[in-house]
Amino acid sequence: MKEPKRYLVTSALPYANGPLHIGHLAGAYLSADIFVRFLRLNGKDVVYVCGSDEHGAAITIRAKKDGTTPQAIVDKYDELIRTTFEKIGISFDIYHRTSAPIHHETSQEFFRTLNQKGEFIEQTKEQYFDVEANQFLADRYIIGTCPKCSHTEAYGDQCENCGSTLSPTELVDPRSTLSGGKPVLKSTTHWYLPLDKYEAWLREWVETGKLEGELLHYPEDWKNHVLGQCKSWLDGGLQPRAMTRDLDWGVDVPQEIEGSEGKKLYVWMDAPIGYISATKQWALDNGKDWEPYWKDKETALVHFIGKDNIVFHCLIFPAILKAHGDYIIPVNVPANQFLNLEGRKLSTSKNWAVWVHEYVAEFPGKEDELRYNMIKNMPEQRDSEFTWKGYQESNNNELVNNLANFINRVVVLTNKYYEGVVPTIDQDVQIVDSSNQIEMSYQESELVDLHDKLQDLGQHIRTYEFRAALKVLMEISSTGNQLLQFNEPWKMIKIDEAPVKVVMNTALQVVTALSVACRPFLPFTSDKIRDLLNLPHLKDEGEYMDILNKLSEGEVLIPDGHKIGTPNHLFTKIPDDVIEAQIAKLEAADKANKGVEYAPVKETISFDDFTKLDIRTGTILAAEKVKKTKKLLKITVDLGFEERTVVSGIAEFFKPADIVGQQVVLLANLAPRKLKGIESQGMILMAESPDGELGFVSPSEGIGNGFIVK
RNA sequence: UGCGCGGUAUUGUAAUUGGCAACAUGCUGGUCUCAUAAGCCAGCGCUACGAGUUCGAGUCUCGUCUGCGCAACCA
């Protein structure tokens, strides 16, 4: 495969329903930003697009809850997300939004074309409709009683209690989570994309990189988990997928199509096409032509996403593009895994997150410090973790002690010895090189080494190994520290000036190289280093390529006689109290969040209904984990007059050994039921907190076993 | 439950085809004084468990335990 003529890079569209947290950054934005900044520094033709995803039911529901309009919600978060990205230095060529007219037109055009080409299948199905909320309900918005285990809080697609897969119509006594009311079945027609029809070419394309005989990518360039998940889907057999929904907030199905009334495009017929409409808007704004970026085979299309989006970007969106015709499909989808925070999953609803807009407000001027730690811990191959302690350490030990300190040493010494002027050197003077060797060590050999490292760094970025690339950057800085250390210019200056000039000149070349090489990762720092060197800021127009060329031609990067600036600390240490405050804030937010939402009170029952229940006191005699299950414990309860075996889904919260002797309250006349082959004879009553934590309900001290509870 | 990706030093992470287990941090000792109590040098310490294939296994196979994800509109 040839070097592409141009690149079109996308990051997943953030949903305009909340602010950005560090998990978003780690997933789809920082990596893409590094990639495109590097391409620009190599003089490549690249367009980087993104935008707010502003449609869908969640936004409508949110608006209803907040007593406002969907448009207001979307405007608020689009603005917040947009400025947050800008502050943290994500360098989109355009950040668009899916509410823009040009996007509605583009996605409708896609739908129209697919419809005309006969790609869709129309199907009519019965779906639950919430009369009160006046909308059809997605499976997740319906809860009811599980037909298999009688769990009363089963979702429309699955029962979390027994794990069985359900369809909403199987639920006994279904109710809407929107209004709480009983939904009615109503028939509705949708357009389905027959993904099963595309399965063969999708499989060949993903697994071999070949499409219609043409090699489009090497599968070994794709990440393991990306290939794995695609194969998993393909092996499971692709199913036709509805491309329309009954919603009132989204892109209309084109009006001239029969039956389009009240129908909106499904998110996957909407959001990814946002990449295309964003490109169109960018072209309009800049007097360019958008089409080569999406239609020319010499364009490399790269989607940066989180792992939850893999199948949509690797299978469904390519299928849509190909079904439409004329469009290219992605050459790679370097999905990242997930970032955890202090040992727990990031969660917007539980407020367990570091919000990026808060970070930039609380740590002004420290954007690169966050970027650095996040790139260092980017979940490239597996889930990884952000901790405030780790952030502090990487800042203090690596950015301050290694990088900033090296640059500061060079600037200070240059000012001290040469009044800030880059010294002219004698090429024939030997120095000690950075591996502590003196044989054949002239400035030239040291600069060859620098050239190799820069090349190595670039190679890692091209193969989406951003952590490895960052490591090389820090090695360059370490090498600089060693160069100073081994040559000890502060001693040598008293003996012989010639080698000091060589060392300082070389160190200044390294600093200049760093100002360019750090650009993709630490854009703000790049500008600061350029200021220290009294060189113009980078314009991101091929400067990386330039310095590589210069080095291979044996030219210097910063000329003799150039007057540099005065010393200034690039990074400062972050003290313990700042970190402790952040951790405390996180915990406080988490605590404040607990117990906020109460489930609504259920339907009134008669006293007779209540008396049907036989509830008894008891004590746990023994407990053991049920093999091959996550949640189940087999528990033996003493009821005084007999012992009962009960299988209970509490293993996530209690260890078997800890609950022996626990007094409990047991529903004793519940119909026995087999769970994992063990007969459960009753139900231990538990209190469940709004976020799903369980606690025992137990009689007060001194109450014996087998007593009736009423 | 199926399927996918994992489990590596105190901690966080690396390891093209099976071939000396690497980097950062930490800790111990040494050294330097240009620099932000920074730098540099030396040392300490590791492949979840059990089996198999192999001259050789972190890597391949099987089993066990275990984390996460997808299926199920959170990057």
Side-chain angles (χ1 to χ4, degrees), chain A residues 135-197:
Chain A
Q135 68 175 62
F136 280 92
L137 295 165
D139 294 353
R140 270 274 138 161
Y141 291 127
I142 304 161
I143 52 174
T145 304
C146 173
K148 292 175 186 151
C149 73
S150 309
H151 178 60
T152 55
E153 305 289 322
Y155 288 102
D157 48 10
Q158 189 211 32
C159 171
E160 295 198 331
N161 190 50
C162 65
S164 45
T165 306
L166 305 170
S167 83
T169 47
E170 290 178 78
L171 291 176
V172 182
D173 191 21
R175 52 194 196 277
S176 163
T177 58
L178 301 185
S179 63
K182 194 182 163 112
V184 296
L185 278 174
K186 215 169 148 177
S187 76
T188 179
T189 304
H190 285 291
W191 286 262
Y192 286 73
L193 189 67
L195 288 169
D196 46 325
K197 241 178 74 185

Side-chain angles (χ1 to χ4, degrees), chain A residues 224-290:
Chain A
N224 267 345
H225 66 272
V226 174
L227 286 174
Q229 203 170 118
C230 289
K231 281 181 190 161
S232 161
W233 265 63
L234 289 164
D235 290 345
L238 298 179
Q239 300 299 318
R241 223 178 157 87
M243 288 291 132
T244 52
R245 288 286 140 118
D246 295 289
L247 290 172
D248 45 27
W249 183 245
V251 178
D252 291 326
V253 170
Q255 280 181 4
E256 75 277 9
I257 295 172
E258 206 179 319
S260 65
E261 231 167 287
K263 307 289 182 189
K264 303 287 191 227
L265 299 186
Y266 178 53
V267 61
W268 293 105
M269 203 66 208
D270 173 354
I273 293 170
Y275 300 143
I276 300 169
S277 45
T279 314
K280 285 185 178 174
Q281 187 63 50
W282 166 84
L284 280 175
D285 296 346
N286 293 280
K288 297 276 176 64
D289 182 7
W290 69 275

Side-chain angles (χ1 to χ4, degrees), chain A residues 233 241 266 268 272 308-318:
Chain A
W233 265 63
R241 223 178 157 87
Y266 178 53
W268 293 105
D308 53 329
N309 258 330
I310 289 172
V311 290
F312 298 105
H313 284 80
C314 294
L315 302 176
I316 300 175
F317 189 47

